[in-house]
Amino acid sequence: HYPDSRHGLLILGMHRSGTSCLAGMLECAGFHVGDVDEWNPYNLKGNRENLAASAINEALLQASGADWDQPPSQLRIAAHHRDDIRRLTDELAASGKPWLLKDPRTLLVLGAWTDTVPDLARLGIFRHPVAVARSLGRRDSTDLETGVELWRAYNKRLLRAHETTEFPLIAFNGEPDHLEHAVSAALDALFPDLLANGTLEPERAGEFFDRSLVHHAQPMKSDITSDLSALSLPADLIDAAQHTWTRLLERQGPVCLEAEPDPDAPSLAEDSLDDRPLRSDAASRVEDAVDLDALNARLETSENRIDLFRRGMASFEARQDRPGLMAWLEGWSERLPDDPFLHWELASLWWEDGNEQAAIDHAVEARRLAPSWITPTKALALWAFEAGHWKLAAEAIRALYAEPICRATERLPTAERFIVSGKGFNGIEAT
């Protein structure tokens, strides 16, 4: 057993930079991760973030007047933050296994963790800024300039941490051989005793990796000025991002990825069908109509259907064919009744169209099929209240309050409406 944090590990890296993949690989290699998110539509194997750690990081950011996309200028750490950190790390260490925590926001509040638990090991990972910016755009509709600015803000902190205390630093490009080799070398540098006694099995790390889930691939080059210029970014941001990229490449190790393109290498982006947000000016973002028969044929055999569904949805919306879109999604939902993504998309569309009951029914199914995905529960808390389903709304609100991350981030206006309307929580089951 490891009663202290000597075998605890922090994964440090920007959002959409391979941190989830790295955490999953290390979990397969033998690390304990605690209660983590195991599925969402932007990480089909989950973002592997410990929910309690995410709640702590959110609380630290809020106390500092910041957010994940507004890094703090000064970190404010209270005694109860340190207590929460000690409580969580003690709980993870009590598992008797080596353990890890992964949350990109840790880079923004790293001082709170390292000051409270100084002997935590660290492992960093970084990715091409254009790939990160495109991925953020797809997930959050973040514009590319903001995405690159955030990439630089996070990776400046990663470099600062590395300059203070060196640790293994991995370049993520989605190549399984490189990742498995890098993970094995990092573990050898950080935990040689656990490798020697067989506690960790780095040869199993590759069991988690799924190449089909890697999108927005960019060639690894030492000079990425042309890649950044293609985004029409300001000249000063291009220069700053290039400087940060150069420093990251210089500091990667113990396994270094050659920062030059291989013209004979296959593209990792072959199945990445749309790098851009789905519902932001869709007509201008879809250049050609999708061959629906061909798309349906690919959906029959693909193991990564979400990108295919997004392309079909964007095509319908570009043609402003809402009835066709609904019929297509409903048809696939009947064929794939256990797909939470389809249920959620239908829930959102039905709610927009004013069919409250259909929206709620699909949201309930999405929540049942992907219980770690918090979005359907948030929607149900609001939608069920609006539709007068008090019992369901109260149950959803209770579920949200039970989630560590929501206690820190959600004011839950639906709960306030219950109080203002006089309904409260008492007697809800009887109504």
Side-chain angles (χ1 to χ4, degrees):
H1 292 274
Y2 311 115
D4 54 33
S5 60
R6 286 176 299 169
H7 293 128
L9 173 66
L10 290 180
I11 292 179
L12 303 177
M14 166 65 180
H15 299 265
R16 320 307 294 167
S17 295
T19 56
S20 302
C21 179
L22 180 57
M25 293 176 75
L26 290 170
E27 184 179 357
C28 286
F31 279 84
H32 174 58
V33 295
D35 186 15
V36 298
D37 169 47
E38 296 180 344
W39 190 94
N40 67 62
Y42 298 98
N43 291 93
L44 299 192
K45 291 190 173 185
N47 60 27
R48 323 309 293 179
E49 290 175 11
N50 183 286
L51 300 178
S54 296
I56 291 169
N57 288 342
E58 283 287 349
L60 283 162
L61 288 173
Q62 287 189 3
S64 304
D67 207 338
W68 76 270
D69 57 354
Q70 296 178 338
S73 56
Q74 182 176 1
L75 188 61
R76 295 184 176 89
I77 309 170
H80 66 88
H81 296 140
R82 299 186 189 280
D83 292 342
D84 290 342
I85 289 172
R86 291 191 188 94
R87 187 179 303 111
L88 175 58
T89 53
D90 286 348
E91 176 184 310
L92 290 168
S95 69
K97 299 179 180 179
W99 53 271
L100 67 82
L101 290 172
K102 171 262 168 181
D103 178 1
R105 288 162 293 193
T106 302
L107 269 176
L108 304 183
V109 297
L110 183 59
W113 292 89
T114 56
D115 291 349
T116 305
V117 191
D119 49 355
L120 283 172
R122 300 166 215 179
L123 173 58
I125 189 166
F126 66 94
R127 187 184 185 189
H128 194 296
V130 174
V132 170
R134 290 191 184 280
S135 189
L136 281 176
R138 176 178 163 189
R139 187 189 72 176
D140 301 316
S141 297
T142 304
D143 65 83
L144 294 174
E145 182 176 338
T146 300
V148 173
E149 287 175 343
L150 284 170
W151 175 89
R152 181 168 176 263
Y154 274 76
N155 282 290
K156 281 177 62 180
R157 286 168 166 79
L158 180 61
L159 285 166
R160 192 179 306 138
H162 195 268
E163 289 163 358
T164 301
T165 304
E166 286 196 10
F167 47 81
L169 187 58
I170 296 174
F172 179 80
N173 74 334
E175 284 291 350
D177 290 343
H178 166 72
L179 281 173
E180 291 173 33
H181 189 195
V183 166
S184 180
L187 293 179
D188 188 48
L190 294 171
F191 304 109
D193 55 330
L194 300 185
L195 292 177
N197 65 24
T199 299
L200 294 177
E201 301 175 90
E203 65 275 7
R204 296 192 59 191
E207 295 175 9
F208 183 85
F209 186 84
D210 184 347
R211 181 169 175 163
S212 71
L213 301 183
V214 179
H215 308 296
H216 316 288
Q218 292 286 144
M220 291 291 292
K221 300 182 292 186
S222 57
D223 187 343
I224 58 172
T225 302
S226 61
D227 297 338
L228 295 164
S229 298
L231 304 184
S232 300
L233 302 178
D236 58 343
L237 178 57
I238 292 174
D239 291 343
Q242 173 64 58
H243 178 66
T244 302
W245 177 251
T246 299
R247 293 174 64 202
L248 288 167
L249 290 177
E250 290 172 349
R251 287 188 165 271
Q252 65 169 320
V255 174
C256 296
L257 190 66
E258 184 67 26
E260 296 297 336
D262 179 358
D264 298 321
S267 171
L268 292 178
E270 291 173 355
D271 288 330
S272 182
L273 297 169
D274 193 340
D275 288 347
R276 294 155 295 191
L278 174 62
R279 291 187 177 135
S280 177
D281 194 15
S284 68
R285 297 180 185 277
V286 180
E287 297 175 357
D288 301 305
V290 170
D291 182 337
L292 196 58
D293 290 338
L295 185 63
N296 285 333
R298 292 185 67 185
L299 281 165
E300 292 282 2
T301 58
S302 176
E303 295 181 357
N304 181 24
R305 293 188 177 97
I306 286 182
D307 277 333
L308 298 174
F309 281 126
R310 287 196 177 106
R311 185 179 188 189
M313 292 164 65
S315 181
F316 277 108
E317 292 192 357
R319 300 194 304 270
Q320 299 183 345
D321 183 7
R322 187 62 165 256
L325 171 60
M326 299 294 287
W328 183 64
L329 289 177
E330 288 284 7
W332 273 105
S333 182
E334 291 175 4
R335 297 169 70 178
L336 302 171
D338 294 332
D339 190 312
F341 174 79
L342 284 175
H343 282 292
W344 172 245
E345 290 299 327
L346 283 164
S348 301
L349 292 168
W350 279 123
W351 187 260
E352 290 174 6
D353 284 357
N355 191 329
E356 295 176 344
Q357 191 57 54
I360 289 171
D361 289 345
H362 279 292
V364 167
E365 278 300 290
R367 181 185 173 200
R368 180 183 68 82
L369 293 166
S372 67
W373 185 21
I374 203 74
T375 302
T377 306
K378 290 182 180 179
L380 282 171
L382 291 169
W383 296 353
F385 183 92
E386 294 290 340
H389 298 306
W390 314 122
K391 185 175 180 179
L392 178 59
E395 190 274 331
I397 291 170
R398 289 194 185 96
L400 286 174
Y401 269 108
E403 292 287 345
I405 185 65
C406 288
R407 285 202 299 269
T409 62
E410 297 298 317
R411 292 188 64 244
L412 290 176
T414 306
E416 295 174 4
R417 294 182 198 177
F418 268 97
I419 302 303
V420 171
S421 65
K423 293 182 174 61
F425 288 110
N426 296 325
I428 291 297
E429 284 80 359
T431 62

